[in-house]
Amino acid sequence: GVRRTVFLRLGYELRGDDPSFDRLAQFRNPAENPAFTGPMSLIGGFVMTTWPDPHPLKALDRWIRPEEADLFDPSHGFQLFKSTWNDHQVALTSGDEVFGWVGQPIALSQYPGEVAGQTARLAHVGASDNDDVGFCLCKVHGGLEMGGGLLHGGLSLPIPSNSLSPEARRRLTLPGEPLPTQELVYEAESDLFHGTGKSEPDGWSANTADHGPGHLIYGPYATDWSGVSATVSFIAMIDNNDANSELTLTLDVYDATAGVALGSLAVHRDDFAEPFAYEAFTLLVDIDGLTGNAMETRAYWHANAFVKIDKVLVTVSPL
């Protein structure tokens, strides 16, 4: 029934030559106290992103890798295999999804591999009491958290008067290499959708005699553009480039998930350098934070010249 002071030492150990850092915790029980004991532990961890609506670049629960032993997912009823990136892109449950006391290091990633800034590995490091490693998809607290308990009663406690508990270390590692630049090719006749025109062996065309105005191409509703910017090149040709300067094509890149145009380009007849020769018309668009959204490339034809589109080339820059 007597209140007594017990000290808790907290800190971080940071490294300049390794993509990891440790959070440290240790109890000190002063000399005038009896033994420090009790059914208790320190809890808490690293909140990686909001939940259940994570930041688009931090949906770390998509792929899970337990490192030393298979792990059962009780919320969805399937096994997560050791040393393997397990696909965890599953429907959310009605409550929290808690993985605790997994007894091994565990890694989460937005991709089936280690990608810098989008992969995190958690381990408890020390001489003892390292098994309460885990993570929580926590709707109650609104976060995706990697953590668990440290310095548990019955393991690290009790400690006698005038003594220290073990030093607990929670290590977070952010491994991997940056995402490479993505080079994507969408063939007009086979990879995209059409509102007007016809298929040809080397593209999709429309002519004024047979077709009305509309989208020569649209799509592909790609959700894998992962980066900060995209260079989008429409490869097109025209039959006559000097009859007038009429508006011939309206090109744009559209975020179909958000319902927002990210950039557009008006192409006039005399913007083509020569007739019947493919050339590129290019847009640079900002896609930072839009990973997972359905991206669409569109070419609207104004029905005043023969036009053919060969393909759309997309270069996604990660930085």
Side-chain angles (χ1 to χ4, degrees), residues 17 41 57 69 75 110-112 158 210 213 218 224 239 247 252 275 307 318:
D17 58 353
S41 67
L57 297 179
S75 298
Q110 186 168 342
Y111 300 97
D210 300 323
Y218 64 95
D224 59 347
D239 61 343
L247 178 63
D252 72 344
V307 169

Side-chain angles (χ1 to χ4, degrees), residues 10-274:
L10 296 171
Y12 289 91
E13 185 174 285
L14 309 176
R15 303 175 183 86
D17 58 353
D18 186 76
S20 70
F21 62 91
D22 292 353
R23 178 182 287 172
L24 305 135
Q26 187 176 39
F27 284 117
R28 179 170 68 84
N29 190 21
E32 62 273 15
N33 283 357
F36 176 47
T37 188
M40 64 184 70
S41 67
L42 300 177
I43 64 170
F46 304 104
V47 178
M48 312 304 291
T49 184
T50 56
W51 191 263
D53 298 308
H55 187 280
L57 297 179
K58 294 183 180 179
L60 301 180
D61 68 303
R62 289 182 177 176
W63 297 86
I64 299 175
R65 186 185 69 196
E67 297 203 351
E68 298 169 357
D70 294 348
L71 177 65
F72 186 70
D73 180 349
S75 298
H76 299 99
F78 60 82
Q79 200 81 346
L80 303 170
F81 298 104
K82 68 176 181 178
S83 303
T84 300
W85 286 108
N86 297 269
D87 190 345
H88 196 252
Q89 299 176 84
V90 291
L92 300 181
T93 62
S94 60
D96 294 349
E97 297 181 32
V98 182
F99 292 78
W101 289 92
V102 302
Q104 60 182 311
I106 190 162
L108 308 181
S109 185
Q110 186 168 342
Y111 300 97
E114 294 182 347
V115 176
Q118 292 165 283
T119 301
R121 177 185 183 271
L122 184 73
H124 291 178
V125 181
S128 63
D129 197 359
N130 294 322
D131 285 349
D132 193 11
V133 178
F135 67 95
C136 179
L137 310 178
C138 187
K139 292 183 178 178
V140 172
H141 295 140
L144 188 164
E145 182 176 6
M146 302 182 75
L150 296 168
L151 299 175
H152 296 82
L155 294 172
S156 295
L157 304 178
I159 52 174
S161 172
N162 194 29
S163 64
L164 297 171
S165 74
E167 181 185 77
R169 287 177 174 257
R170 174 175 289 150
R171 180 166 295 168
L172 187 70
T173 305
L174 303 172
E177 298 297 324
L179 279 173
T181 298
Q182 292 175 280
E183 302 286 350
L184 306 168
V185 180
Y186 304 113
E187 297 289 347
E189 69 274 19
S190 57
D191 297 328
L192 300 171
F193 303 97
H194 314 94
T196 190
K198 67 176 184 178
S199 179
E200 298 206 28
D202 63 338
W204 193 270
S205 72
N207 65 76
T208 57
D210 300 323
H211 306 114
H215 282 98
L216 270 182
I217 56 168
Y218 64 95
Y221 304 102
T223 58
D224 59 347
W225 295 12
S226 184
V228 299
S229 65
T231 302
V232 181
S233 296
F234 297 79
I235 311 302
M237 72 162 63
I238 198 168
D239 61 343
N240 184 310
N241 69 319
D242 60 6
N244 52 53
S245 59
E246 288 181 310
L247 178 63
T248 304
L249 292 172
T250 300
L251 310 176
D252 72 344
V253 178
Y254 189 74
D255 181 342
T257 299
V260 174
L262 303 179
S264 64
L265 177 66
V267 180
H268 299 80
R269 180 191 293 271
D270 55 359
D271 290 328
F272 287 85
E274 55 184 299

